[in-house]
Amino acid sequence: MPQTPTIILVHGFWGGAAHWSKVIVELKRLGHASLKAVELPLTSLADDAERTRKMIAQESGPVLLVGHSYGGAVITEAGNHPNVAGLVYIAAFAPDAGESPGGITQKNPPLGAANLAPDSDGYLWVKQDKFHESFCQDLTADEGLVMGVTQKAPLASTFGDEITNPAWKSKHSWYQISSDDHMIHPANQAWMSGRLGAKKVITLKASHASLASKPVEVAALIDEAARYQ
């Protein structure tokens, strides 16, 4: 039997590796024993891609990269590593060469863009009292509160960092669109997923935090990608 890949989960802006907690439990239940989650510095696309490459390089066998939100840009940049067997985008950016998350966002600004607030150190936050409605409106208010308080802000400059050589042009890909997303406009997700030549695109009635609100469905797509031969 072909070797099942190690699944490496890559978080996005305003969160950490723990955002994948419910998906991790589901993937384990589906029989995936080799699971890793990157903790990104969120200081630049180059830094985040390098951190991810180092995680990939620790694996002797194939790797499936899964990116949520900005994590999609990271796996697009880091995914050309020879160990990478495929890419899964979860309500994520999938930029082409010369494109940035910020540039794509401007095509169709999402509802949550109005609730972003920079600080004096150059980090960009989602306003705590607006986090639930902006990021995860289909979770409970308590879950939204915790996500808002524990959010990990990126350096705002990271939004403008451009992709050099997009891995989706040479690797198999899968994409999940969130139809009620307030952080990456669903129209942008449909546009990005449409040019990937993806093996499968699914749409979930979910917020940006589909990895937390729809973990069974998200894990099922990842599982399908991991078992693709």
Side-chain angles (χ1 to χ4, degrees):
M1 290 289 290
Q3 184 179 355
T4 302
T6 293
I7 298 172
I8 297 182
L9 305 165
V10 185
H11 67 83
F13 291 148
W14 305 297
H19 270 196
W20 291 105
S21 57
K22 294 180 182 179
V23 169
I24 290 167
V25 172
E26 287 298 323
L27 289 172
K28 186 71 172 180
R29 186 182 63 80
L30 290 168
H32 296 281
S34 186
L35 301 168
K36 303 289 176 66
V38 182
E39 194 68 53
L40 299 175
L42 299 183
T43 47
S44 71
L45 179 61
D47 291 346
D48 297 331
E50 183 60 23
R51 182 72 198 98
T52 303
R53 289 189 194 100
K54 288 180 177 178
M55 290 281 285
I56 297 167
Q58 291 295 319
E59 303 302 318
S60 58
V63 166
L64 180 70
L65 290 180
V66 184
H68 173 244
S69 186
Y70 162 74
V74 177
I75 69 172
T76 297
E77 186 72 5
N80 290 300
H81 193 288
N83 284 8
V84 175
L87 311 166
V88 184
Y89 294 87
I90 304 300
F93 289 107
D96 202 346
E99 292 179 349
S100 67
I104 291 171
T105 297
Q106 289 172 11
K107 289 180 179 292
N108 292 285
L111 291 173
N115 298 326
L116 300 180
D119 69 15
S120 60
D121 293 317
Y123 292 90
L124 192 62
W125 301 83
V126 180
K127 296 175 183 176
Q128 265 194 39
D129 62 342
K130 301 292 186 180
F131 196 96
H132 186 219
E133 67 183 68
S134 301
F135 197 94
C136 55
Q137 73 274 16
D138 53 355
L139 297 178
T140 67
D142 285 350
E143 287 176 301
L145 171 65
V146 172
M147 278 192 170
V149 172
T150 62
Q151 67 178 289
K152 184 176 180 180
L155 279 176
S157 57
T158 307
F159 273 90
D161 291 347
E162 297 177 350
I163 296 295
T164 56
N165 180 20
W168 52 261
K169 291 194 171 181
S170 60
K171 307 282 186 175
H172 295 310
S173 64
W174 290 257
Y175 197 105
Q176 178 258 305
I177 298 169
S178 285
S179 64
D180 296 337
D181 200 315
H182 294 171
M183 298 304 296
I184 301 179
H185 198 292
N188 287 342
Q189 294 182 41
W191 169 67
M192 288 184 285
S193 63
R195 66 183 180 177
L196 288 179
K199 293 296 179 185
K200 187 172 188 177
V201 177
I202 66 169
T203 300
L204 298 178
K205 185 173 176 55
S207 70
H208 189 56
S210 55
L211 74 178
S213 64
K214 301 286 186 181
V216 173
E217 295 88 343
V218 168
L221 181 66
I222 297 169
D223 176 65
E224 184 174 328
R227 298 184 190 282
Y228 177 81
Q229 303 296 338

